[in-house]
Amino acid sequence: MRKIAESTVRRLSLYLRFLEEFQSQGIATISSEALATRGGTTSAQVRKDLSFFGSFGKRGLGYSVPELVGKLRDILGLKRTYQVVVVGAGKIGSALAQYPGFGQRGFHVAAVYDADPKKVGADWNGLVVQDVQHLEQDLARAPVDIAILATPAAAAAQVSDRLVQAGIRAILNFAPVQLEVPAHVVVKNVNMAMELEALSYALRNR
Amino acid sequence: MRKIAESTVRRLSLYLRFLEEFQSQGIATISSEALATRGGTTSAQVRKDLSFFGSFGKRGLGYSVPELVGKLRDILGLKRTYQVVVVGAGKIGSALAQYPGFGQRGFHVAAVYDADPKKVGADWNGLVVQDVQHLEQDLARAPVDIAILATPAAAAAQVSDRLVQAGIRAILNFAPVQLEVPAHVVVKNVNMAMELEALSYALRNR
């Protein structure tokens, strides 16, 4: 499979959401135009995005909604569940560990870790904050797929190294730090200030 | 100015961060190659991204770091401060309202609102949760630039309408709902599950 851009993957995630909406409304087929309108993009873009993964849809008939939902879930790796750990039990870590949207998508938060003795042992709706000292031990016993890194900046590099050493291959990084990881590990950085900058850009340039 | 893609704006935000790092290390000039290496992209991409905004840099000499920092801050609308309100004082709203990275970038969280009497009046490090009933009244008295929408899905559309009615032109939406807003209002959706899907995609397709 060709390497596709992050922005394409993002649109595939969006299309999947729209298609699931259509499906819940009992809509059986959808044109690339309708999908484009819903997503604020063009039908050419929709067709191009989907063409990366083989041929879908019939000219003049559009796409079968359930078929395309299944295919997108497959492409996005959503036909299985993922075990996730959150490291860092601060405000962002707390919000993420209890984010209802993760479970709905098959991302199961298995554990939360922190280094602060005042946080360790706290019970968040049944999820008990664990001591990060036991991270390697726990991951050896019950491997996980994805780590969400929500530590302070100063701790991020060290925690990232420990996660990689323990076999983690995917990190969602909320710490404002560029992580250095081996090539087999994928990191996605989330920076809330950058999300606001997309808006300040729009306000400045309209 | 041409309309540029959201992914380009995102890279500009990233370049600005890298350039500020270089600046703090006392580096005066930087090549597009070095900027590309730091950002995991190509020098052609860097030059293309920056070319949208006029000509920068001198062939063979690279870009002046302070000049490019200033220019990027200008392009991204970061030469002023923005007043921000957060609507929804749940876990995500709480994390965002107290996110240190916003203030550093000139985004000032002026107020937080909620409809729940149990949350109204709570003091978050000096930021007191306000009753959303007073939203219009407060915005009329002290206009703000950007609203962060962090309500439950069921309340999002109504709150969005009220924000738009009250003159808000930019919304960062964390509710898992597609908002319908007039053309003069810009909405950026943030969906944490979609961030994880970029990782499940990578795990599935490596």
Side-chain angles (χ1 to χ4, degrees):
Chain A
M1 184 174 290
R2 270 181 291 172
K3 181 164 165 47
I4 70 163
E6 198 178 305
S7 52
T8 308
V9 178
R10 200 171 179 84
R11 280 194 302 273
L12 297 179
S13 280
L14 267 181
Y15 298 156
L16 175 58
R17 282 166 172 71
F18 301 153
L19 287 161
E20 287 171 338
E21 270 178 33
F22 293 136
Q23 198 167 25
S24 71
Q25 293 158 17
I27 297 170
T29 59
I30 191 89
S31 65
S32 51
E33 286 75 15
L35 201 49
T37 304
R38 182 67 184 78
T41 180
T42 64
S43 56
Q45 179 75 70
V46 170
R47 285 191 299 268
K48 183 173 171 230
D49 288 339
L50 297 180
S51 75
F52 279 112
F53 307 98
S55 115
F56 295 108
K58 295 197 182 73
R59 187 169 294 268
L61 286 177
Y63 303 103
S64 153
V65 171
E67 198 187 317
L68 194 48
V69 163
K71 190 75 192 175
L72 283 173
R73 290 184 57 82
D74 185 29
I75 290 167
L76 291 168
L78 297 175
K79 294 210 157 170
R80 49 162 291 200
T81 58
Y82 293 87
Q83 299 299 317
V84 178
V85 290
V86 176
V87 186
K91 293 190 188 72
I92 296 216
S94 160
L96 293 168
Q98 299 171 79
Y99 187 67
F102 288 161
Q104 289 159 14
R105 274 282 176 237
F107 299 107
H108 174 247
V109 177
V112 187
Y113 292 90
D114 204 282
D116 181 352
K118 287 199 292 290
K119 287 180 183 155
V120 171
D123 188 328
W124 295 346
N125 300 318
L127 201 62
V128 178
V129 178
Q130 305 293 320
D131 190 328
V132 75
Q133 281 195 333
H134 310 140
L135 182 66
E136 286 82 357
Q137 201 176 311
D138 292 358
L139 292 180
R141 200 171 42 215
V144 307
D145 306 290
I146 297 173
I148 298 180
L149 189 54
T151 66
Q158 196 226 342
V159 169
S160 165
D161 289 348
R162 290 176 61 188
L163 288 165
V164 170
Q165 200 66 35
I168 292 278
R169 294 186 305 135
I171 299 175
L172 190 64
N173 176 35
F174 284 81
V177 168
Q178 192 75 7
L179 302 178
E180 287 176 24
V181 298
H184 71 278
V185 178
V186 55
V187 174
K188 184 159 167 57
N189 296 301
V190 181
N191 182 316
M192 292 300 157
M194 278 177 60
E195 307 293 340
L196 281 183
E197 284 176 31
L199 293 176
S200 66
Y201 170 84
L203 291 173
R204 159 83 172 72
N205 295 287
R206 62 172 66 244
Chain B
M1 185 174 290
R2 270 181 290 171
K3 181 162 165 48
I4 70 161
E6 198 179 304
S7 51
T8 308
V9 178
R10 201 171 178 83
R11 281 194 301 272
L12 296 179
S13 279
L14 266 182
Y15 298 155
L16 175 58
R17 282 168 170 72
F18 302 151
L19 287 161
E20 287 170 339
E21 270 179 32
F22 293 137
Q23 197 167 27
S24 72
Q25 293 159 15
I27 297 170
T29 59
I30 192 89
S31 64
S32 51
E33 286 76 16
L35 200 48
T37 304
R38 182 68 183 79
T41 180
T42 64
S43 56
Q45 180 74 69
V46 170
R47 285 191 300 267
K48 183 174 171 232
D49 288 338
L50 297 179
S51 74
F52 280 111
F53 307 97
S55 113
F56 294 106
K58 295 197 183 75
R59 187 170 293 271
L61 286 177
Y63 303 104
S64 153
V65 172
E67 198 187 315
L68 194 48
V69 163
K71 190 75 192 177
L72 283 172
R73 291 185 56 83
D74 185 27
I75 290 167
L76 291 168
L78 297 176
K79 293 212 157 170
R80 48 162 293 201
T81 59
Y82 293 87
Q83 299 299 317
V84 177
V85 289
V86 176
V87 186
K91 292 188 189 71
I92 295 216
S94 159
L96 292 168
Q98 300 170 80
Y99 186 68
F102 287 161
Q104 289 160 15
R105 274 281 175 237
F107 300 107
H108 174 246
V109 176
V112 188
Y113 292 90
D114 204 282
D116 181 353
K118 288 199 290 290
K119 285 179 184 157
V120 172
D123 187 329
W124 294 347
N125 299 319
L127 201 62
V128 178
V129 178
Q130 306 293 319
D131 190 329
V132 74
Q133 281 196 333
H134 309 140
L135 182 67
E136 286 83 357
Q137 201 175 310
D138 291 358
L139 292 180
R141 199 171 45 216
V144 307
D145 306 290
I146 297 172
I148 298 180
L149 189 54
T151 67
Q158 195 226 342
V159 169
S160 165
D161 289 347
R162 289 176 62 188
L163 288 165
V164 170
Q165 201 65 37
I168 291 278
R169 295 188 303 135
I171 298 175
L172 190 64
N173 176 36
F174 284 81
V177 168
Q178 192 76 4
L179 302 179
E180 287 178 22
V181 298
H184 72 278
V185 178
V186 56
V187 173
K188 183 160 169 56
N189 297 302
V190 181
N191 182 316
M192 292 301 156
M194 277 176 59
E195 307 294 339
L196 281 183
E197 284 175 32
L199 293 177
S200 66
Y201 170 83
L203 291 174
R204 159 83 173 72
N205 294 286
R206 65 171 65 243

